[in-house]
Amino acid sequence: MRSRLFPITDDHIHFDPVNGRGIDAAKDFLHAGGTHIFLVSKPSWSLGITPASGTDYAQVFDETLRIAGLIRETGLVVFPVLGIHPAEISRLTERMPLADAAGVMKGGLECAAGYVRDGRAVALKSGRPHYEVSSEVLAASNDVLFHALGLAAGYRCALQIHAESGPCADIVDMARVAGMTVERVVKHYGSPETPLHPSLVARHEAVPVLARERRPFTMESDFMDENSRPGAVTGPKSVPRITKKLLESGVINEEDCWRIHGETIEKVYGVRITL
């Protein structure tokens, strides 16, 4: 049942009524005790969209907002996060030169920033490939990421980063040059050693440790909601289930729950978490 004592927030999750379970999966999160989600836009290709310009990504963002509206009808609080998946650069360069691909991605981020400006989204998403690429592609990807950091700084919103495993410490200097507050740069699928804000997959072994140390972090499932990959990365119930397991075992208390799922979320994203 839904908790009435404290929030349970999934910091990075996808729901897809076309290619996945959609609202039924969202209801699983709700019935397991979840209260708030950050609904992250999916890559363009997963929605059958082939962008040729930055404005083409509006189709992705509008679909994300449509899904957010459906999920809100279940009683969940939904915060949309919009942006460009870093793997888009590999898809785009199959059809255009690298410089043009980077330009399209930057335009897509500017399009997403317009939704933040209008209050229809709360944060942006960017990053760089988490797989091996050429030095030229990596440089172009970092240029796109730097553009995203500048947009997030300008619109005073958080930025979720999808990147390689590890601390990604070099992004700290990039953020500072861009004028972006480092504490609002979220390392999606993060790890404790990152100097950015760590969003840990719920099953991460460091969750109890960071909770005891009262270190700022958030929890995510990174549920992809694709019928071809059921349960990837973890299921929609994982954040509420693991939070409640930690609470029942005495590893955390209700104050910790409010800090992880409420206060820290508010500081990073600039939103209000209420029940």
Side-chain angles (χ1 to χ4, degrees), residues 167-186:
C168 297
D170 62 305
I171 296 177
V172 172
D173 287 338
M174 293 172 64
R176 286 173 177 159
V177 172
M180 178 64 180
T181 303
V182 175
E183 290 78 11
R184 304 193 74 190
V185 181
V186 180

Side-chain angles (χ1 to χ4, degrees), residues 240-252:
R241 278 186 169 177
I242 291 175
T243 297
K244 290 189 172 184
K245 182 178 180 180
L246 293 172
L247 183 63
E248 291 166 0
S249 64
V251 174
I252 63 175

Side-chain angles (χ1 to χ4, degrees), residues 140-161:
S141 297
N142 276 325
D143 186 42
V144 172
L145 172 55
F146 183 75
H147 189 66
L149 287 163
L151 288 170
Y155 286 97
R156 297 183 179 180
C157 69
L159 175 67
Q160 288 197 6
I161 299 292

Side-chain angles (χ1 to χ4, degrees), residues 53-88:
S53 67
T55 55
D56 288 342
Y57 285 99
Q59 300 171 74
V60 178
F61 306 149
D62 288 342
E63 175 64 6
T64 305
L65 296 185
R66 184 187 74 83
I67 295 169
L70 295 174
I71 295 171
R72 288 189 181 104
E73 294 177 4
T74 70
L76 289 170
V77 178
V78 184
F79 300 113
V81 178
L82 306 179
I84 310 301
H85 194 288
E88 296 270 356

Side-chain angles (χ1 to χ4, degrees), residues 79-96:
F79 300 113
V81 178
L82 306 179
I84 310 301
H85 194 288
E88 296 270 356
I89 200 163
S90 297
R91 299 269 181 159
L92 290 168
T93 50
E94 294 176 355
R95 299 185 283 113
M96 62 185 71

Side-chain angles (χ1 to χ4, degrees), residues 177 208 217 257:
V177 172
F217 73 98
C257 290

